[in-house]
Amino acid sequence: MHQDCEKILLTEEQIQRRVQQIADRLNREYAGKNPLVIGILKGSVVFYSDLIRKLEMPIELDFMAVSSYGAGTTSSGFLKIKKDLDKNVEGRDVIIVEDIIDSGYTLAKLKKLLYARHPASVKIVVLLDKFERRAVAIEPDYSCFDIEDEFVIGYGLDYNEQYRNLPYIGILKRCVYEH
Ligand code: IMP
Ligand code: MG
């Protein structure tokens, strides 16, 4: 285990098993369709690459990078698009893949923004759901794990751009971010 980790919350095996279950559900829901699977950079890349390899229908890939600006540590401000999609989503079945839903501001604004482009449907898949922290009325359509309000790293998730490459999800030691 990495020295900055308090403990491992989810092992590689637990993650893979759960990602397969979510993929099975997507395979049933999107059978015969050709969804556009949108990964939100950068946090979702590891989850995204595991998930898409478990999907059996034809899919197209696209990516978006966004950042939320607001007061303090919450993402309550407006959503800035740092990298927009390459594809036109009009008439498409869109699946948004995100690492974690916390306050919900990011995904609520993203969903609204995509709906304005007239897709056929939009569904949200998240790896982690910090449900206790929700500040806006939005729920993911598919969530792999509900977690407590603790800062987690690994499997794509970062603190100051570090730890994304850890193969498991761990709780970051408080002494790393509380000085
Ligand atoms: P929301 O708009 O508050 O839902 O923000 C979600 C974003 O906050 C995620 O995309 C992550 O980038 C970040 N985030 C929230 N909690 C954590 C965490 O525990 N570890 C790493 N990033 C987090
Ligand atoms: Mg993120």
Side-chain angles (χ1 to χ4, degrees), residues 70-88:
T73 53
T74 59
S75 53
S76 54
F78 63 94
L79 192 75
K80 181 171 186 264
I81 300 177
K82 293 195 286 187
K83 184 227 171 287
D84 206 339
L85 300 171
D86 294 334
K87 305 268 183 187
N88 183 357

Side-chain angles (χ1 to χ4, degrees), residues 12 36-38 52 102 111 134 148 153 166 170 172 174:
E12 290 184 67
L36 182 64
V37 187
I38 299 176
I52 60 166
D102 185 33
K111 197 172 178 182
R134 202 76 84 256
E148 309 276 296
I153 50 166
L166 297 178
L172 185 62
R174 286 193 168 266

Side-chain angles (χ1 to χ4, degrees), residues 25 29 39 43 49 63 68 84 91 103 117 120 124 130 136 138-140 142 151 163 170 174:
R25 290 172 55 190
E29 175 165 350
S49 68
F63 297 93
S68 302
D84 206 339
S103 70
R117 298 179 183 180
I124 295 172
K130 275 191 194 172
V136 285
I138 181 162
E139 293 307 324
Y142 299 90
F151 200 86
Y163 315 110
R174 286 193 168 266

Side-chain angles (χ1 to χ4, degrees), residues 111-163:
K111 197 172 178 182
K112 202 172 156 196
L113 187 148
L114 289 179
Y115 265 121
R117 298 179 183 180
H118 310 292
S121 67
V122 177
K123 293 251 166 133
I124 295 172
V125 183
V126 299
L127 175 68
L128 304 173
D129 185 351
K130 275 191 194 172
F131 59 97
E132 289 168 8
R133 300 248 314 160
R134 202 76 84 256
V136 285
I138 181 162
E139 293 307 324
D141 299 283
Y142 299 90
S143 165
C144 295
F145 302 98
D146 284 343
I147 63 164
E148 309 276 296
D149 182 14
E150 272 165 314
F151 200 86
V152 292
I153 50 166
Y155 197 69
L157 290 121
D158 75 308
Y159 173 67
N160 276 347
E161 296 297 329
Q162 296 298 306
Y163 315 110

